[in-house]
Amino acid sequence: MHNAKDKRIKKLKRKRIWPSVIGLFVLLSIMCLLSIIIMGASIVDIMQRKVNQSLARTEKIASLYEDYNDSNAKDINENVEAYIKISDEIGAVALVDKEGNPIWISGGEYPTLDNLVDFDVTYGEEVLHLKLIIVEGENQIFKIDNNELVIDDNILNSIKINNLSENNIFSENDANVIMHLNQWFLVPVGDIQVLVFNDVNLYGYEIIMPIMIGGLIIVLMLIFAIYYLVSVISVFVNMRKMTRLIYTDVVTGGNNWLHFVKKGTSLLKKNRKGKFNYAVLHLQMRKYRSFCTCLGVRRGEELIESFYNVLKKKLGTKEVMAHHENAQFAILLKYTDKQQLLNRISEIEKELDAVLPNMKLYFGVGVYQVEVGEKDIEQLYNNALIACEMLSEEADNQIAFFDVEMNKRKMWERKVEDDMDKALQNKEFKVYLQPKISARGEKLAGAEALVRWIHPSEGFIPPNRFIPIFEQNGFILKLDDYMLEEIAAQQAQWISEGKEVVPISVNVSRAHFTREDLAEHICAIVDKYNVPHNVIELELTESAFFDDKKVLLNTVNKLRNVGFIVSMDDFGAGYSSLNSLKELKIDVLKIDADFFRGASEQERGMLIVSEVIDLAKKLNMKIVAEGIESREQVDFLVEQECDLIQGYFYAKPMPISDFVKKYGGSDE
């Protein structure tokens, strides 16, 4: 997910408007060139047709001389002159003999017969045998192609044709005439040769339509270009807005986590030579959820925005910060030495605390001091976050610096969570039993089931290294069920073998008491093995009394009604309350081991133990003292008529096989 997100953001940032604009201009250039070619081709086509018409006129004049002789020469010549007068295209006609000597000339001049070109032209169904007089040598605008007279458009716009009137191809005399094409055609007729001077004119009105079509195409292309350009600019503007939105935090309106990563990474890369000392901070307001519960989520968000504005003012150049989540902020600070860094952090906390002068706010800060060359700011921030998580809840504002041991602890937590399900499936969790010895006669009267993890690669793992993790992530629920089922199965086996069994206590974590059907759930596990309920004792901690009291009381009553022994573990540790004894009907009270530790407080502790035992007796409860390590403690408990004693003085927790060897019973 993370890689996909980075790729999309980088792809968005790489988009530029210039390729689209350049592509637009290339497209416009191509379309304009095509428009010019279309207009040029149209004009050439018009001139081609006019030349074909001039060929027809030349044939018509030449046909008048088919019966030419001395008797009708005058009449024919007069008819030709009359035709010339009414024709705009025929400029002159000349008759010459086969040697080129003039016989008759309409205009008083005729061309020389040098550079005559013979060719046949198909006109309609007839083939005309023509000769063309080359007036300017090789620069003729006419050429022969497949027996047809065509215009050579390669030289159309670059040559001048000299004729009898010495007019240029582009006329300057008549504003309406755009182009003159003047040529002599020679047609042999019997013993004479007829020379016809054709004056082909291209008028302005004849090319209006091609020009209009070409112009319309250009106008349409300009409209399209403007629309396209506006669209591209609009997309570019929206893209910039979207980019800004991506880096904007929805709560504060300022920079968000993505901006912090981008800018922070850039600053660290530029500092690869270690010019500045940098520290990554994870700053959070503690008890933010309680604040929102009391004053509302909206007020909480307003507080976060105020914090953001304060932090922003405290930053200098080449520093960056952003709101992360809830009341947490990521900060990249420059510093000179550790003391100066601590002073800056303390100053920041004071400024934040002043946002609500009438309310005490609590902050926690995790700090990671960046080493030269480190630039993965997300990992560095995670280190600062780990440091902050190690802070205790008791103190006020606290600052914790990341060290290697913190990372090791986090890696261990990750390993435990990765392996726990597999360990449960493979039965790597082993049941250890610690005996409970009767104070009268010092014989076995019960046991407590404790879990140990025999890991395939880590070996023996004590419970203090995994139980707190399981309690935090909820896996303790599965582990408790597993332990209950293992004890039920073991008790069932010993009973089937005719062995005398003693009650074995199994811990029931406070997390179980969120479900109202807990009693039914426990019965379902035990009843699979047909074990009497009174050989299983269910231990719950007194802290469970401070969760859902109604569910707890209802569950305990159900369990006792179906024959289970219920005990309260660690009585006197932390939140002990006599009110819990008043409302919670239990069978066994376990006195916490802390009462028996510490020589200076031992006398006061023993006094409290004595009174607790006396109180429990009056409430018809059995007493178990745990953590007993000396004969003096045993003698005191015997004197106080304590029921059961549990501790290292008698035995440490041991595997079931060792328990069987020492106290009898049956092993698997």
Side-chain angles (χ1 to χ4, degrees), residues 257-307:
W257 172 252
L258 290 176
H259 178 271
F260 176 79
V261 172
K262 174 178 174 289
K263 183 69 179 294
T265 302
S266 176
L267 290 174
L268 293 180
K269 285 182 178 179
K270 292 178 181 178
N271 193 51
R272 60 183 178 276
K273 295 183 179 180
K275 182 179 180 181
F276 305 110
N277 293 326
Y278 274 110
V280 178
L281 275 60
H282 167 81
L283 185 149
Q284 68 177 24
M285 172 188 170
R286 297 158 65 188
K287 303 180 181 178
Y288 173 71
R289 294 185 182 276
S290 299
F291 180 90
C292 292
T293 301
C294 297
L295 300 178
V297 175
R298 184 174 183 84
R299 185 69 181 90
E301 291 182 346
E302 291 174 355
L303 181 64
I304 291 174
E305 185 176 359
S306 299
F307 287 164

Side-chain angles (χ1 to χ4, degrees), residues 493-660:
Q493 180 180 340
W494 284 338
I495 291 173
S496 67
E497 294 174 351
K499 304 297 183 181
E500 183 179 354
V501 296
V502 294
I504 298 179
S505 60
V506 180
N507 287 292
V508 180
S509 302
R510 62 187 292 184
H512 285 282
F513 291 94
T514 57
R515 56 186 300 175
E516 295 184 357
D517 64 338
L518 178 59
E520 291 79 5
H521 175 70
I522 291 174
C523 287
I525 294 175
V526 175
D527 290 345
K528 286 193 301 183
Y529 300 94
N530 296 318
V531 175
H533 292 174
N534 62 355
V535 299
I536 293 180
E537 179 181 326
L538 302 172
E539 287 190 8
L540 55 95
T541 59
E542 189 185 17
S543 59
F545 188 78
F546 299 95
D547 293 329
D548 193 330
K549 185 167 63 172
K550 181 179 178 181
V551 173
L552 174 65
L553 295 175
N554 187 46
T555 301
V556 169
N557 290 334
K558 287 182 180 179
L559 291 172
R560 294 182 73 241
N561 289 337
V562 294
F564 286 103
I565 302 171
V566 179
S567 63
M568 180 183 290
D569 193 14
D570 299 331
F571 182 80
Y575 305 101
S576 180
S577 171
L578 293 177
N579 189 52
S580 61
L581 295 180
K582 177 176 72 75
E583 298 188 47
L584 191 61
K585 295 180 180 180
I586 56 176
D587 302 296
V588 180
L589 189 67
K590 293 188 71 173
I591 301 176
D592 188 68
D594 285 342
F595 284 107
F596 304 98
R597 296 187 183 129
S600 60
E601 294 87 11
Q602 189 170 10
E603 183 176 348
R604 292 172 61 87
M606 292 302 183
L607 178 61
I608 295 173
V609 169
S610 176
E611 295 299 326
V612 170
I613 293 175
D614 185 57
L615 176 62
K617 292 292 184 180
K618 292 178 181 179
L619 294 174
N620 295 320
M621 297 179 186
K622 285 187 176 182
I623 297 296
V624 178
E626 60 181 343
I628 304 306
E629 299 177 351
S630 67
R631 169 52 70 177
E632 291 78 7
Q633 293 172 340
V634 171
D635 292 341
F636 170 77
L637 292 170
V638 171
E639 182 183 349
Q640 299 298 320
E641 298 183 355
C642 179
D643 297 296
L644 301 175
I645 300 173
Q646 178 182 345
Y648 281 13
F649 178 76
Y650 288 112
K652 296 180 179 180
M654 62 189 74
I656 292 177
S657 58
D658 293 344
F659 183 85
V660 170

Side-chain angles (χ1 to χ4, degrees), residues 153-165:
D153 53 5
N154 291 324
I155 60 172
L156 178 62
N157 296 322
S158 62
I159 67 170
K160 296 179 180 179
I161 299 179
N162 297 322
N163 52 44
L164 293 175
S165 302

